[in-house]
Amino acid sequence: MTDEQLTQLSTHVGQLLSARGATVTTAESCTGGWIAKVLTDIAGSSAWFHRGFVTYSNDAKQQMVGVSARSLAEHGAVSESVVREMAQGALREAAADFALAVSGIAGPDGGSQEKPVGTVWFGFACASGEVLAERRCFSGDREEVRRQATAWALLALRDRFLKN
């Protein structure tokens, strides 16, 4: 997805949030704040974007959004349980209506047979109590994996939570 397409997608997500009078927050690891960046590139985004947490390290995940040490030890940072906790913690800390969380292996190193480079977990939490997580595998270099993860997170937020 090009920069222009990401801008169009972010604009649309913002419009959908505005129409609902809703807010969003992010907790990002492998995307390093890229999702928050493309959302806040949109003029007026302060009306619907609360804050972004860049929780790149395990300590940051624990301190900023309350991920448990046990989940990190048992499942690793790139896991369903961790992104669920990241999303729920970001939602709580930001007092937002929606939260999205991302943790993955962008490469070029860090992959394993179980979690190859390109593996990304996404977590979504809503003020209504709904929490979802989904795993995706992307290909390409570090930049391409991060870009694809950013785009997929916004598409999933739009399609699963904001379109009715």
Side-chain angles (χ1 to χ4, degrees):
M1 188 170 279
T2 66
D3 287 346
E4 183 177 326
Q5 290 169 320
L6 279 175
T7 298
Q8 290 171 350
L9 178 57
S10 298
T11 299
H12 190 223
V13 166
Q15 291 167 342
L16 293 169
L17 287 163
S18 290
R20 290 173 170 247
T23 57
V24 68
T25 187
T26 61
E28 302 180 63
S29 189
C30 68
T31 49
W34 199 339
I35 300 166
K37 183 247 187 271
V38 298
L39 289 172
T40 59
D41 280 347
I42 308 308
S45 59
S46 61
W48 44 265
F49 183 81
H50 268 208
R51 66 184 75 162
F53 301 92
V54 178
T55 57
Y56 208 71
S57 70
N58 287 350
D59 285 344
K61 287 173 182 64
Q62 292 174 329
Q63 293 166 10
M64 296 173 76
V65 294
V67 172
S68 74
R70 182 178 183 179
S71 291
L72 288 162
E74 289 181 7
H75 306 287
V78 181
S79 65
E80 178 178 1
S81 59
V82 167
V83 294
R84 283 177 172 271
E85 289 181 37
M86 287 170 66
Q88 290 171 304
L91 189 76
R92 180 183 60 250
E93 293 299 322
D97 298 301
F98 299 97
L100 64 89
V102 182
S103 188
I105 305 163
D109 302 318
S112 66
Q113 190 169 6
E114 182 182 301
K115 297 177 187 178
V117 169
T119 301
V120 181
W121 272 98
F122 299 87
F124 301 90
C126 304
S128 66
E130 186 176 8
V131 180
L132 298 174
E134 192 163 335
R135 179 180 176 246
R136 289 279 185 235
C137 291
F138 301 110
S139 60
D141 65 18
R142 182 175 182 81
E143 173 93 2
E144 291 167 330
V145 168
R146 290 165 45 116
R147 180 179 293 275
Q148 290 172 79
T150 298
W152 195 88
L154 292 172
L155 288 166
L157 176 66
R158 181 195 71 187
D159 295 344
R160 294 185 180 154
F161 297 99
L162 300 177
K163 280 192 165 179
N164 286 10

